[in-house]
């Protein structure tokens, strides 16, 4: 998958729409803030970035899901 790996976080299916956002808006914001590339594959979020960046992505996603 060209350097992509599955994000080390389980996102409940009912929250995927919230995490992705309308027109991918929230994913794009997370990418901009953290410097990673994200894509959805088979209802899983995949990441291209460092382990440190992945930790930041997980914090951003938790902030969305916890609301």
């Amino acid at each position: 998958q060209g350097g992509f790996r599955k994000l080390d976080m389980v996102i409940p299916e009912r929250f995927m729409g919230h995490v992705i956002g309308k027109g991918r808006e929230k994913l794009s914001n997370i990418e901009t803030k953290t410097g990673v590339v994200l894509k959805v594959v088979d209802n899983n979020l995949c990441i291209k970035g460092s382990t440190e960046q992945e930790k930041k992505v997980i914090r951003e996603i938790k902030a969305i899901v916890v609301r």
Side-chain angles (χ1 to χ4, degrees):
Q1 281 188 337
F4 281 90
R5 66 185 186 285
K6 190 174 167 189
L7 187 69
D8 189 21
M9 174 185 192
V10 175
I11 302 168
E13 200 170 316
R14 69 184 185 276
F15 288 115
M16 281 302 281
H18 297 291
V19 172
I20 296 167
K22 188 175 184 178
R24 209 177 173 279
E25 181 182 12
K26 289 186 180 174
L27 275 190
S28 295
N29 287 341
I30 292 171
E31 289 174 329
T32 300
K33 282 183 179 179
T34 61
V36 302
V37 179
L38 297 168
K39 68 179 181 178
V40 180
V41 178
D42 297 330
N43 221 27
N44 292 304
L45 203 52
C46 295
I47 181 173
K48 184 188 281 188
S50 71
T51 304
E52 195 56 44
Q53 288 171 312
E54 182 173 14
K55 290 176 186 174
K56 291 177 185 175
V57 168
I58 289 170
R59 281 196 297 271
E60 293 290 329
I61 291 171
K62 283 182 178 176
I64 293 167
V65 173
V66 170
R67 285 185 193 158

